[in-house]
Amino acid sequence: MTDESLKSRVETWMVKQMPIIQMHGGTSVVREADAESGQVVVELGGTCSGCGISNVTAQNIKRDMFMEFEEIENVEVKVPSTGDTGADTVEGGRGGDLQYSNESAGHF
């Protein structure tokens, strides 16, 4: 499978998750999905930034991705510290210029 194929499948999967995330005012962007390395990076935005349960959402995304995609070896879920989602950010990973905080990379 190609990188684009994995990214496309992860984006489609994230779109299915969006009603739950959007219900709370959140957004998501798939930043990376590398089939060769098995690395996936998802960024949460909107009200996920600063949300007290964003770590739970991140853990659920990680767990469910591992169960859904056998080729995924590592999932990183980033939550922006700015809360800036911008007009070009849309659900399912098709855009966006979110900035994330790495102040506490181990908080997930």
Side-chain angles (χ1 to χ4, degrees):
M1 267 178 227
T2 66
D3 289 352
E4 190 59 37
S5 175
L6 177 60
K7 185 170 185 178
S8 176
R9 290 184 297 125
V10 169
E11 287 175 345
T12 299
W13 183 84
M14 284 300 298
V15 167
K16 292 177 185 176
Q17 309 307 308
M18 284 310 296
I20 297 165
I21 295 171
Q22 284 181 323
M23 184 171 58
H24 298 279
T27 61
S28 72
V29 176
V30 178
R31 291 294 182 199
E32 178 184 343
D34 186 327
E36 189 172 309
S37 70
Q39 171 75 20
V40 173
V41 178
V42 174
E43 193 168 343
L44 301 178
T47 56
C48 291
S49 177
C51 175
I53 63 166
S54 62
N55 61 333
V56 173
T57 301
Q59 287 298 333
N60 289 340
I61 289 170
K62 288 179 181 185
R63 181 199 64 226
D64 292 351
M65 274 195 193
F66 286 129
M67 291 176 11
E68 184 73 23
F69 303 98
E70 65 183 42
E71 67 268 44
I72 292 179
E73 299 290 328
N74 185 44
V75 178
E76 183 177 354
V77 180
K78 299 178 179 182
V79 180
S81 60
T82 63
D84 178 17
T85 58
D88 58 349
T89 300
V90 295
E91 68 276 3
R94 292 174 189 77
D97 294 317
L98 299 176
Q99 296 177 3
Y100 59 90
S101 169
N102 59 4
E103 296 168 0
S104 176
H107 75 283
F108 294 125

